[in-house]
Amino acid sequence: MRKFLYSVYSFASVLMLMNFSGCKPKSAGDATGSDAAGKVYVAPGKYDEMYNFVSGGFSGQVSVYGIPSGRLLRVIPVFSVDPEKGWGYSEETKPMLNTSHGEIPWGDQHHLDLSQTNGEIDGRWLFANENNTPRVARIDLKTFRTAEIIEIPNSAGNHSSPFITENTEYVVAGTRFSVPLDNDNGDVPISSYKKNFKGTLSFISVAPKDGEMKLAFQLLLPGMNFDLSHSGKGPSGGWFFFSCYNSEQAHTLLEVNASKRDKDYILAVNWKKAEEYVKQGKGKKIKANYVHNKYSESTHNATSTNEKETIVLDVKDFPDLVYMIPCPKSPHGCDVDPTGEYIVGSGKLAALIPVFSFSKIQKAIANKTYDGAYGGIPVLKYEAALYGEVKKPGLGPLHTEFDGKGNAYTTFFISSEIVKWNIKDLKILDRQPTYYSPGHLTIAGGNTKKPYGKYLIAYNKITKDRFLPTGPELAQSAQLFDISGDKMKLLLDYPTIGEPHYAQMAPASLISKNSQKIFKLEENKNPYVTMGEKNSKVVREGNKVHVYMTAMRSHFSPDNIEGIQVGDEVYFHVTNLEQDWDVPHGFGVKGNINAELLVMPGETSTLKWVPKKAGIFPFYCTDFCSALHQEMQGYVRVSPKGSNVPLTFSLGKNSEAADEALKK
């Protein structure tokens, strides 16, 4: 035991020295070629070749960059409030942040996956996960907006998601932290981990036309930690592969106690078989409490629904459903090559990369070439499933993607490099340093049947000397490589939002052609829509006041409102009457504790305001919209509670009370 502890701490010491010594590689100053600037330059008025969707980590959002320029195009609000776009502030979007624990205004967004058809990117949707309070979101790439968020019950730490099947039949999510099931007694000793803690894999179905998500079923597994995953494709298309660690079932000091074994596991799941069992009614319905939020682009409103049950298959009762494949050591990444034959495991503490063969896995299952069982799950013999090992590739392999030419690219966190190797002969072809400590990488279509293979982006955890200093915290670094030739070439560094984990990249032509420019006013089904200035009005319902307002360059209607009282709940329902691309209007009112609105052309959005004191309160457009933007403003008069000032509103003329006041 003492020898083991020494080896673990020695490894940790090496890691710390390599990551925090601050030593710059000798090639850091001349890593880029003389032609790099020309390869990333996008001339004014020209478009980038690629969209790069990057997880925002602790920001809870998704960022979108143009490639090769590295220009930030948009931040998509998902799991955190966003004052720039009013996400989580407008009355219409507040329900999107509901969970069974209440409203959560700040999430932890880790991974992304683009929808696929026949194993190829189709450009329809982007799926995103929330790690802390387990949720999965669907982003509509016509509008670059979050359309749906579903919470996952019986789960804790939704790191292992959202990974999709090759026709987007399912989004699959594994639990990072095993815990007692929601309907079990959770008040148990932590030391009872092996007995009471369980892991789950959740299969969320996706409707083929509109993308609506539904929790279809969950698989119940022994307590351990489930990490990253990818679905099979082609011959392995009905299977899913997860990396698993903490097979020791430790619950304290995991850096030591969950790293004792030489091998943990890759979990192979026959999801087609699981689907059959559910259709046959063999799943067990159990009570669950989770929330499903949907945003409608016709009503411009979100709805939040409480769900009450889920279907569970306990894998120990279905011996042909899942299998364990030994994988060295503390595996993190689990990646499937474009042919669907090779499954790459990346052990964080391993000095090699194991590559497993799907056909050999099937043969081992057929012949029952097992090496015992784990929690009732058959364990295949390592050699029976193994295609081969990439020898001495580097230190700390994490993630692998593919270029479609028979090559794989793996990030190495400890040795700070990307290594290119051939899938068939497992030979190292190239290695390039990164600055520093890369986690994920992305190649356009690199996890699909059809990688595009021109660019690779590494997402580095440490920047140190790459950008101007900004106090104790530095921006995370993305590094763009050209992989079109035999050797990788570093082209560009650029900073990113939050801490990027996984990312997706796709040709712009797949997505931009479907981009929605406006919301058609005649299709606006919001219950508070105002179809033209003549329909603008102010209505009192007890202590609630509804302002049906329009915005048009360069005025609001109405722009003068009187008769509001202290303590009233005032709802400004603002309809943007513009039908021109990229003409949003903002709306803000003095003293409101909520953010202002940002209302797209043809959209209706609502701001709630509860005035605390009497007085005159200006409101104005917060998004520069025209030469007379400064004139796009108005006033609200707030009187004391119980005042007899009548409720009036106007546009383009002084009120009678104002005229009388001027005469005096």
Side-chain angles (χ1 to χ4, degrees):
M1 179 62 181
R2 186 174 298 175
K3 182 178 179 181
F4 166 76
L5 288 173
Y6 176 78
S7 66
V8 169
Y9 286 123
S10 296
F11 187 89
S13 299
V14 170
L15 187 151
M16 291 178 66
L17 285 170
M18 295 191 74
N19 283 320
F20 300 107
S21 62
C23 295
K24 184 190 295 187
K26 292 180 181 179
S27 60
D30 58 359
T32 56
S34 59
D35 61 343
K39 288 187 175 182
V40 301
Y41 179 68
V42 177
K46 300 296 183 181
Y47 294 159
D48 281 283
E49 297 174 49
M50 301 276 179
Y51 283 109
N52 179 211
F53 301 94
V54 184
S55 65
F58 47 72
S59 78
Q61 315 293 38
V62 172
S63 52
V64 186
Y65 298 84
I67 298 298
S69 71
R71 297 180 295 198
L72 177 64
L73 302 177
R74 185 168 182 81
V75 175
I76 303 174
V78 188
F79 298 109
S80 298
V81 295
D82 188 329
E84 181 188 15
K85 302 169 188 69
W87 181 255
Y89 291 102
S90 71
E91 295 304 299
E92 285 82 1
T93 60
K94 283 180 180 179
M96 293 298 287
L97 299 178
N98 284 345
T99 75
S100 62
H101 306 273
E103 180 183 334
I104 297 180
W106 189 355
D108 182 22
Q109 198 280 300
H110 275 219
H111 299 117
L112 302 167
D113 218 349
L114 285 163
S115 58
Q116 298 178 25
T117 300
N118 297 323
E120 298 179 16
I121 296 169
D122 59 27
R124 293 184 295 165
W125 307 306
L126 177 70
F127 297 92
N129 72 334
E130 206 277 296
N131 188 24
N132 184 10
T133 303
R135 286 171 283 171
V136 167
R138 178 175 58 86
I139 297 166
D140 189 335
L141 293 181
K142 287 183 179 179
T143 58
F144 280 59
R145 284 182 165 184
T146 302
E148 191 174 8
I149 297 176
I150 189 168
E151 190 179 2
I152 304 174
N154 301 317
S155 180
N158 181 38
H159 182 75
S160 181
S161 78
F163 300 106
I164 65 167
T165 52
E166 60 183 334
N167 281 293
T168 320
E169 298 98 334
Y170 294 100
V171 177
V172 186
T175 184
R176 174 180 174 182
F177 309 109
S178 289
V179 291
L181 295 185
D182 292 352
N183 66 329
D184 289 343
N185 176 22
D187 183 17
V188 297
I190 297 173
S191 59
S192 68
Y193 185 106
K194 292 184 180 181
K195 177 182 178 182
N196 293 313
F197 289 44
K198 301 294 182 182
T200 57
L201 304 182
S202 302
F203 284 74
I204 301 166
S205 64
V206 181
K209 288 187 177 180
D210 62 9
E212 183 174 353
M213 299 188 294
K214 179 182 179 181
L215 181 57
F217 60 90
Q218 296 182 296
L219 302 184
L220 184 63
L221 294 124
M224 58 192 307
N225 293 59
F226 296 90
D227 214 332
L228 299 188
S229 172
H230 279 95
S231 79
K233 48 183 77 80
S236 58
W239 289 72
F240 234 97
F241 303 93
F242 282 83
S243 60
C244 314
Y245 64 101
N246 192 21
S247 55
E248 297 86 349
Q249 295 187 309
H251 55 80
T252 183
L253 196 62
L254 262 63
E255 64 181 273
V256 173
N257 293 322
S259 302
K260 293 179 179 179
R261 297 186 175 187
D262 289 335
K263 293 182 177 68
D264 285 286
Y265 298 107
I266 297 294
L267 182 75
V269 179
N270 187 338
W271 68 261
K272 281 284 191 182
K273 182 68 70 173
E275 184 182 57
E276 286 177 20
Y277 284 140
V278 172
K279 288 178 180 177
Q280 293 167 8
K282 294 184 179 181
K284 179 182 179 182
K285 288 186 178 181
I286 65 171
K287 291 181 180 179
N289 183 25
Y290 60 101
V291 172
H292 189 184
N293 307 322
K294 292 185 284 186
Y295 186 83
S296 167
E297 293 294 5
S298 61
T299 66
H300 308 285
N301 260 297
T303 56
S304 188
T305 305
N306 291 310
E307 304 290 348
K308 298 298 183 183
E309 66 179 18
T310 182
I311 297 173
V312 173
L313 293 171
D314 190 334
V315 300
K316 74 176 185 297
D317 298 330
F318 302 92
D320 57 350
L321 203 55
V322 298
Y323 302 87
M324 294 287 205
I325 305 167
C327 181
K329 177 179 183 185
S330 296
H332 184 56
C334 181
D335 302 282
V336 183
D337 90 306
T339 70
E341 170 63 16
Y342 303 105
I343 298 100
V344 180
S346 296
K348 301 188 294 291
L349 305 183
L352 53 82
I353 300 175
V355 181
F356 302 100
S357 161
F358 181 72
S359 56
K360 292 187 72 174
I361 291 169
Q362 293 303 294
K363 184 178 179 181
I365 292 171
N367 295 335
K368 296 188 176 181
T369 313
Y370 298 155
D371 190 12
Y374 181 91
I377 301 171
V379 176
L380 306 184
K381 285 187 179 294
Y382 179 68
E383 293 77 11
L386 185 70
Y387 171 74
E389 297 173 339
V390 183
K391 303 291 187 181
K392 298 181 180 179
L395 295 176
L398 288 186
H399 302 287
T400 300
E401 291 216 347
F402 308 92
D403 63 6
K405 303 173 185 176
N407 303 312
Y409 300 75
T410 302
T411 53
F412 288 83
F413 182 84
I414 297 172
S415 52
S416 288
E417 59 185 332
I418 298 173
V419 174
K420 176 182 178 181
W421 50 278
N422 183 270
I423 300 169
K424 288 293 181 65
D425 64 21
L426 307 180
K427 297 288 180 64
I428 303 296
L429 301 176
D430 187 26
R431 61 177 73 238
Q432 290 295 328
T434 61
Y435 310 102
Y436 306 91
S437 300
H440 278 284
L441 75 164
T442 189
I443 295 170
N447 64 330
T448 72
K449 284 182 178 178
K450 184 184 176 181
Y452 293 85
K454 183 176 182 180
Y455 299 115
L456 178 153
I457 304 173
Y459 301 95
N460 305 318
K461 301 301 184 184
I462 298 171
T463 46
K464 296 290 187 184
D465 48 29
R466 305 309 288 177
F467 306 120
L468 286 171
T470 53
E473 184 183 22
L474 300 174
Q476 304 287 321
S477 169
Q479 293 192 299
L480 176 68
F481 290 82
D482 180 348
I483 59 169
S484 59
D486 292 336
K487 300 293 182 181
M488 295 176 276
K489 294 181 180 179
L490 177 62
L491 300 179
L492 182 68
D493 283 12
Y494 60 94
T496 62
I497 300 294
E499 181 198 359
H501 288 261
Y502 197 37
Q504 294 274 274
M505 185 160 51
S509 58
L510 278 177
I511 297 168
S512 61
K513 63 183 178 182
N514 298 319
S515 188
Q516 187 164 332
K517 292 182 169 63
I518 63 169
F519 297 104
K520 293 180 180 179
L521 198 57
E522 64 271 20
E523 296 176 1
N524 186 329
K525 305 301 181 186
N526 188 294
Y528 296 103
V529 64
T530 305
M531 289 292 192
E533 290 180 4
K534 64 181 181 180
N535 296 314
S536 60
K537 58 185 177 181
V538 181
V539 177
R540 177 178 287 281
E541 297 175 355
N543 74 325
K544 292 181 171 63
V545 178
H546 294 275
V547 180
Y548 294 76
M549 178 177 281
T550 63
M552 187 75 177
R553 286 169 289 185
S554 296
H555 62 270
F556 293 106
S557 177
D559 64 359
N560 278 242
I561 303 169
E562 300 191 27
I564 303 297
Q565 299 181 13
V566 171
D568 280 345
E569 291 182 11
V570 184
Y571 295 89
F572 294 97
H573 308 291
V574 183
T575 299
N576 183 345
L577 297 179
E578 308 284 357
Q579 293 288 268
D580 192 6
W581 187 23
D582 194 29
V583 188
H585 287 298
F587 178 82
V589 60
K590 178 186 175 182
N592 191 13
I593 61 172
N594 214 344
E596 68 266 18
L597 298 176
L598 188 64
V599 193
M600 296 300 112
E603 183 181 34
T604 299
S605 192
T606 300
L607 185 72
K608 180 182 177 181
W609 175 50
V610 181
K612 304 295 185 184
K613 63 179 183 178
I616 299 296
F617 293 84
F619 58 82
Y620 67 106
C621 179
T622 59
D623 191 309
F624 202 99
C625 57
S626 70
L628 295 175
H629 167 73
Q630 291 293 96
E631 284 73 17
M632 193 169 177
Q633 67 174 55
Y635 294 98
V636 179
R637 176 186 174 186
V638 177
S639 301
K641 188 70 176 175
S643 169
N644 59 3
V645 174
L647 187 65
T648 60
F649 56 94
S650 64
L651 170 68
K653 65 176 183 178
N654 291 327
S655 67
E656 293 180 5
D659 290 338
E660 290 299 321
L662 287 172
K663 291 176 182 178
K664 297 177 181 178

